[in-house]
Amino acid sequence: MRIVLFMVLMVMQSLFLAVAKPLSFYFSDEVTFDTNITKPSEMLGYEVGQWHVRHDQLVQYLHILAKQSERINIKTIGYSHEQRPLLLLTISSKSQLDNIDTVRQQHLTRLIDMTSDNRGPAVLWMGYSVHGNESSGSNAAMLVAYYLAASQGKEIEQLLANTVILLDPSLNPDGLARFAQWANSNRGRVLSADPNHREHVERWPSGRTNHFLFDLNRDWLLLQHPESRARVAQFHHWKPNVLTDFHEMGSNSSYFFQPGVPSRTHPITPQKNIELTNILAQYHVKALDKQQQLYFTQESFDDFYYGKGSTYPDINGAIGILFEQASSRGHVQDTINGELTFAQTIKNQLTTSLSTFEGVVENKEQLLAYQRKFYNEANQLAKAENFAGYLVAANGDKQKFTAFLTLLKQHKIKSYSLQASYKAYRKGDVFIPLDQPQYRLLKAAFSEQTSFKDNTFYDVSGWTLPHAFNLPFEKIKNKRNLKLASKAWLPEKAMPKADLQSTYAYGFSWQHFYAPKMLNFLLKKGVKARVALSEFTADTTDGKQQFQSGSIIIPAVLQTEQKWLEALNQAKKKFDIEVLGIHSGLTAQGIDLGSRFMRPLKAPRVLLVGGEGVSQYEVGEVWYHLDKHLDVAPTLVEQRRLSKISLEKYSHIILVDGLYSDLNERVTKNIKRWVKGGGIIWGHKRGAKWLLANQLLKAQSISRKEMAEQFDTHQLSYQDRDKLSAKQRIAGAIFATEVDLSHPLNYGFQRALLPVFKNSTWLLKPSEQPFVTVGKYTSTPLMAGYSAHENVAKIANKASILAHGYGQGGVIAMTDNPVFRGYWYGTSRVLTNAIFFGDLLSVQGR
């Protein structure tokens, strides 16, 4: 019996160690290492690939390498939302590291000096695992760092002498930590390769996303998160020649590296970029062929949207390269290509890291010359355009305008303030000239392109930044008639504000982007506030002033908190919003301060529904908006738990895009009862579809099926199926809507035109009942990005926002996501208004 038990244990031990691959598995026998440098296994206590490395272990090991090796400098460039350090290792020869600031300055000087030679080092950025559950990258980064620190011989000396390598080992520390915990806690001593095993099927939300459930690989252009802001700042600090971006894909695939689909490259990307990508690809081919690994190129993935890690470099004079490894999504998994181990996925990522090094060294002069030409020809290309630049208006909201200009500045795009009015533009608006080094990025950020060579998109086809911020802009042919500031725009420092003195009442405009945040601050402090449902003119501390609908009024007589005026003074300084003292309740024009059209406001208590079947991205985007821009902490509840939740304590329920199959009949009845009792329910995309299906929303829709059936499929062959699918869907484009400015959901908007981001074909018909249609698409709605003319025609004049009463409560539906990727500051105001003014709905749905 003991012998049998011993044999069983030995078999289990051998299975457990089957994935424990020594360094000889990862590296060629030709590579020798300095034995004074700590191996990964010596710090971890296990071989790379045996367990998923935790982020804290990764950080600890890289600090050990930096301490031991004279080839490595290490610094923390920022912190994630969960306060994990964002590391960047600078790796080169000792002589270059000793003078690294001079090396960097010389590299940047070559970008603008056409007479300089190409004798300096190429700068190479190696980035791993922006999606936390694609962890073979970050695990491979340990081996890459060890190789660079400890390998010996002519090859490594040549590499270090000819490059500066910036190693970004974990682009998404919070997601990596979440996934490592999942994969490690669900593995056994005997590994299960069954794809159905819990280890390979993450729960909601997955480790792909960061703390706020955002896809950081879409944030390079948008810069909503600290991880992206720190990374892009360092990118421009160095201006690398090549940037690599290591990912994973479905387990039944093989290995992908760029070039992607040739016809899906953004037209602004220079042809030479594509040529160099193809040249570097040959080194990956050679390396993977040698190891007899399967791979593919020129399929599926594209280089169109400039907000990804592999495409942002393309619009900044570098070569961005995407790598996609079939994922084991754990430690070992059965696939159509056989058993795929975590160690093998790591090895492939290491292999193409090393082949990248070889390709960069052998093509260094071409890469340096290309980057220099990229920036030096910007002036020539700008002068060939038929316009000089863009005028952009603040449109009355300095705070939102500052956020927009700050975003451009982070991308090194310069803007210049108007010193005098010009046509409809006012002093303080800006002119952004084409003639600047970031010419290409500027054109891409303002592009309103609607026709394309290839209509199939891996990601969005339209991302016009001023549309996202709902800022009016136009091209201008020349700047001769403009009076501009001599220096590029910089954010203004908040001016000291005098304390408010005791008076009858106080008021501030809802037009400021942070007015809702200020209101919520006051409400939480116990300050009693009201919203004006109609405009009025009052005698204030700054003379007679007009207050628009949506203005916030704070009457002194209503206050019960002893320090309420102190809180108001604190708020106006904290949020940099002007608060005017109002001397009398009798106004010069419009409603008086005691009017029934001055409605009381309450601090919102928001329940945000998530869980399996619900888009983690959209839940995260709403959560992020409420948290960052409103200081509202929503209660996040998985839909399966709603049956156990008492709804009475909440003022709002938000349903984002998703399948709500766990909301059974009992839960639905509870929700209806809650809305009738005064609750406000918001739904967008399939969240709105659920409201419609369960008769909370009184409306009619146009289904995705109906949208798809309008396309003529006769005469199509099998090979046309992808083209048809591309025409039927809306991958992500910008559409024009017209909103009712008098409606509480649109308070704060200064123009009826509201650009929206659309990536769904589900539509709502305008209501036949008056006052229910809050917004609708215009008759010619497509503003930027691709949408088939059949879809555009169908979308025209349809409803974008519907809202009506339901008992004592209200129902609000939007066909699109108002907070897409966190940067749609324009449409986010609709959701914000629903949070604070949703209970003002008085129109009953039929």
Side-chain angles (χ1 to χ4, degrees), residues 3-129:
I3 295 175
V4 172
L5 180 60
F6 175 77
M7 292 179 65
V8 169
L9 289 173
M10 289 298 293
V11 170
M12 290 179 65
Q13 182 73 5
S14 66
L15 287 170
F16 180 68
L17 295 175
V19 294
K21 305 295 186 183
L23 283 177
S24 59
F25 171 77
Y26 293 106
F27 292 103
S28 160
D29 292 338
E30 300 171 359
V31 182
T32 60
F33 295 96
D34 182 348
T35 57
N36 294 313
I37 303 295
T38 300
K39 298 176 185 178
S41 60
E42 292 172 342
M43 191 284 291
L44 296 172
Y46 60 85
E47 297 290 351
V48 173
Q50 189 174 352
W51 294 88
H52 283 254
V53 70
R54 302 192 313 267
H55 185 260
D56 61 291
Q57 294 173 310
L58 179 60
V59 169
Q60 183 182 355
Y61 179 65
L62 295 177
H63 273 287
I64 290 173
L65 287 185
K67 187 175 182 179
Q68 294 176 342
S69 174
E70 61 184 11
R71 302 170 179 174
I72 299 177
N73 288 343
I74 190 170
K75 69 176 179 178
T76 299
I77 61 173
Y79 291 88
S80 70
H81 284 295
E82 295 176 14
Q83 295 305 296
R84 291 186 172 90
L86 304 168
L87 297 185
L88 187 66
L89 282 65
T90 305
I91 306 170
S92 192
S93 65
K94 183 180 185 303
S95 61
Q96 292 188 143
L97 277 187
D98 287 345
N99 298 282
I100 197 64
D101 287 337
T102 300
V103 170
R104 184 183 67 84
Q105 286 295 344
Q106 290 174 344
H107 173 71
L108 296 179
T109 298
R110 290 187 189 95
L111 300 185
I112 57 175
D113 182 4
M114 288 298 289
T115 64
S116 64
D117 54 45
N118 295 325
R119 288 184 293 183
V123 179
L124 174 57
W125 187 299
M126 307 293 291
Y128 298 90
S129 299

Side-chain angles (χ1 to χ4, degrees), residues 740 742-743 767-774 802-804 841-843:
D740 177 0
S742 70
H743 198 284
S767 176
E768 295 181 0
Q769 184 179 3
F771 320 127
V772 171
T773 303
V774 181
L802 296 177
H804 59 69
L841 298 175
S842 58
V843 180

Side-chain angles (χ1 to χ4, degrees), residues 152-386:
Q152 299 172 318
K154 183 179 179 181
E155 185 175 335
I156 186 66
E157 297 299 332
Q158 184 182 18
L159 171 63
L160 297 174
N162 284 279
T163 61
V164 173
I165 297 170
L166 306 170
L167 182 67
D168 190 345
S170 175
L171 282 76
N172 180 6
D174 297 345
L176 181 72
R178 191 184 314 140
F179 181 67
Q181 177 69 17
W182 176 265
N184 290 336
S185 63
N186 284 291
R187 64 158 286 177
R189 289 184 58 81
V190 179
L191 301 181
S192 174
D194 186 347
N196 294 317
H197 178 51
R198 177 177 167 86
E199 178 186 357
H200 308 303
V201 186
E202 287 178 88
R203 65 186 175 194
W204 188 99
S206 74
R208 177 182 176 89
T209 52
N210 77 339
H211 172 82
F212 277 104
L213 311 185
F214 275 64
D215 182 343
L216 288 178
N217 194 41
R218 285 8 183 221
D219 197 46
W220 283 74
L221 182 65
L222 314 177
L223 302 184
Q224 293 300 301
H225 297 277
E227 301 93 332
S228 307
R229 290 192 291 271
R231 187 162 300 117
V232 166
Q234 289 299 313
F235 179 96
H236 288 292
H237 186 67
W238 270 103
K239 298 285 189 186
N241 299 98
V242 173
L243 185 146
T244 60
D245 190 23
F246 289 88
H247 290 251
E248 291 180 5
M249 54 184 167
S251 301
N252 288 320
S253 194
S254 58
Y255 196 85
F256 169 85
F257 52 88
Q258 286 178 313
V261 180
S263 60
R264 300 180 198 168
T265 298
H266 199 291
I268 296 179
T269 301
Q271 180 61 34
K272 187 65 176 179
N273 177 290
I274 300 168
E275 292 175 14
L276 287 167
T277 301
N278 279 279
I279 288 172
L280 293 175
Q282 297 308 308
Y283 293 85
H284 315 318
V285 167
K286 182 176 69 173
L288 292 171
D289 279 351
K290 184 177 180 180
Q291 296 184 14
Q292 297 186 330
Q293 291 297 308
L294 294 175
Y295 58 86
F296 65 96
T297 67
Q298 298 186 325
E299 281 183 37
S300 302
F301 304 99
D302 65 45
D303 283 334
F304 192 82
Y305 171 53
Y306 282 131
K308 298 183 295 183
S310 58
T311 52
Y312 186 77
D314 294 340
I315 199 65
N316 282 283
I319 310 299
I321 303 179
L322 171 69
F323 298 95
E324 293 272 358
Q325 163 65 47
S327 179
S328 64
R329 280 295 189 270
H331 293 85
V332 60
Q333 188 169 166
D334 289 330
T335 77
I336 62 172
N337 296 317
E339 195 172 80
L340 179 64
T341 67
F342 185 39
Q344 184 59 57
T345 69
I346 294 169
K347 184 176 182 178
N348 286 346
Q349 306 283 41
L350 171 65
T351 297
T352 51
S353 295
L354 300 182
S355 61
T356 299
F357 295 157
E358 182 183 1
V360 168
V361 169
E362 294 190 8
N363 294 277
K364 185 191 75 167
E365 290 194 5
Q366 280 201 75
L367 292 164
L368 291 172
Y370 165 71
Q371 187 181 50
R372 190 171 60 209
K373 182 180 178 182
F374 180 94
Y375 283 106
N376 275 273
E377 68 181 10
N379 174 265
Q380 177 184 350
L381 293 170
K383 288 182 177 178
E385 296 280 2
N386 61 0

Side-chain angles (χ1 to χ4, degrees), residues 3 62 71 177 207 215 243 258 280 373 395 450 499 530-531 543 583 626 724 744 810 832 838-839:
I3 295 175
L62 295 177
R71 302 170 179 174
D215 182 343
L243 185 146
Q258 286 178 313
L280 293 175
K373 182 180 178 182
N395 207 26
T450 57
D499 282 348
R530 297 195 169 184
V531 58
H583 299 316
L626 298 182
L724 174 63
T832 294
D839 60 355

